Tab-separated table of all heavy atoms in Angstrom:
chain	number	residue	atom	x	y	z
A	811	GLU	N	125.689	-30.612	8.054
A	811	GLU	CA	126.795	-30.867	8.962
A	811	GLU	C	126.292	-31.529	10.239
A	811	GLU	O	125.265	-31.151	10.784
A	811	GLU	CB	127.479	-29.534	9.305
A	811	GLU	CG	128.752	-29.729	10.112
A	811	GLU	CD	129.448	-28.411	10.339
A	811	GLU	OE1	129.128	-27.452	9.609
A	811	GLU	OE2	130.290	-28.329	11.232
A	856	ILE	N	75.344	-32.434	17.012
A	856	ILE	CA	76.753	-32.690	17.351
A	856	ILE	C	77.175	-34.077	16.901
A	856	ILE	O	78.282	-34.274	16.367
A	856	ILE	CB	76.977	-32.518	18.867
A	856	ILE	CG1	76.837	-31.044	19.244
A	856	ILE	CG2	78.344	-33.041	19.287
A	856	ILE	CD1	76.887	-30.790	20.733
A	859	ASN	N	77.880	-33.975	13.271
A	859	ASN	CA	78.879	-33.002	12.829
A	859	ASN	C	80.083	-33.021	13.775
A	859	ASN	O	80.244	-32.144	14.638
A	859	ASN	CB	78.274	-31.590	12.782
A	859	ASN	CG	77.180	-31.466	11.745
A	859	ASN	OD1	77.428	-31.149	10.583
A	859	ASN	ND2	75.946	-31.709	12.167
A	885	ASP	N	66.154	-14.905	33.820
A	885	ASP	CA	66.308	-13.446	33.948
A	885	ASP	C	67.586	-13.095	34.709
A	885	ASP	O	68.328	-12.187	34.325
A	885	ASP	CB	65.099	-12.851	34.683
A	885	ASP	CG	63.827	-12.908	33.856
A	885	ASP	OD1	63.924	-13.207	32.647
A	885	ASP	OD2	62.742	-12.666	34.417
A	971	GLU	N	33.053	-45.821	23.090
A	971	GLU	CA	32.428	-47.098	22.742
A	971	GLU	C	31.098	-47.253	23.469
A	971	GLU	O	30.085	-47.670	22.884
A	971	GLU	CB	33.377	-48.242	23.123
A	971	GLU	CG	33.075	-49.577	22.478
A	971	GLU	CD	33.609	-49.681	21.062
A	971	GLU	OE1	34.707	-49.184	20.779
A	971	GLU	OE2	32.886	-50.255	20.221
A	1007	GLY	N	26.699	-40.554	32.634
A	1007	GLY	CA	27.488	-40.369	33.848
A	1007	GLY	C	28.884	-39.833	33.642
A	1007	GLY	O	29.727	-39.918	34.550
A	1061	THR	N	40.608	-27.323	37.670
A	1061	THR	CA	41.429	-26.224	37.154
A	1061	THR	C	42.696	-26.822	36.548
A	1061	THR	O	43.248	-27.784	37.084
A	1061	THR	CB	41.808	-25.256	38.285
A	1061	THR	OG1	40.601	-24.738	38.873
A	1061	THR	CG2	42.642	-24.099	37.757
A	1088	LEU	N	50.767	-31.989	24.927
A	1088	LEU	CA	49.940	-32.299	26.089
A	1088	LEU	C	49.894	-33.809	26.319
A	1088	LEU	O	49.860	-34.278	27.465
A	1088	LEU	CB	48.516	-31.767	25.892
A	1088	LEU	CG	47.608	-31.875	27.124
A	1088	LEU	CD1	48.035	-30.881	28.195
A	1088	LEU	CD2	46.144	-31.665	26.762
A	1098	GLU	N	49.631	-43.512	32.627
A	1098	GLU	CA	50.363	-44.735	32.956
A	1098	GLU	C	50.258	-45.045	34.450
A	1098	GLU	O	50.182	-46.203	34.851
A	1098	GLU	CB	51.829	-44.587	32.551
A	1098	GLU	CG	52.610	-45.881	32.604
A	1098	GLU	CD	53.975	-45.772	31.953
A	1098	GLU	OE1	54.440	-44.629	31.726
A	1098	GLU	OE2	54.562	-46.810	31.665
A	1103	TRP	N	45.812	-45.808	30.745
A	1103	TRP	CA	46.896	-46.014	29.785
A	1103	TRP	C	46.406	-46.839	28.590
A	1103	TRP	O	45.808	-47.893	28.751
A	1103	TRP	CB	48.071	-46.708	30.470
A	1103	TRP	CG	49.263	-46.911	29.578
A	1103	TRP	CD1	49.672	-48.077	29.025
A	1103	TRP	CD2	50.180	-45.913	29.133
A	1103	TRP	NE1	50.804	-47.883	28.275
A	1103	TRP	CE2	51.140	-46.558	28.318
A	1103	TRP	CE3	50.292	-44.541	29.353
A	1103	TRP	CZ2	52.194	-45.875	27.721
A	1103	TRP	CZ3	51.341	-43.865	28.755
A	1103	TRP	CH2	52.275	-44.527	27.950
Side-chain angles (χ1 to χ4, degrees):
E811 187 176 343
I856 291 174
N859 295 271
D885 291 349
E971 197 81 38
T1061 301
L1088 188 71
E1098 191 169 16
W1103 183 254

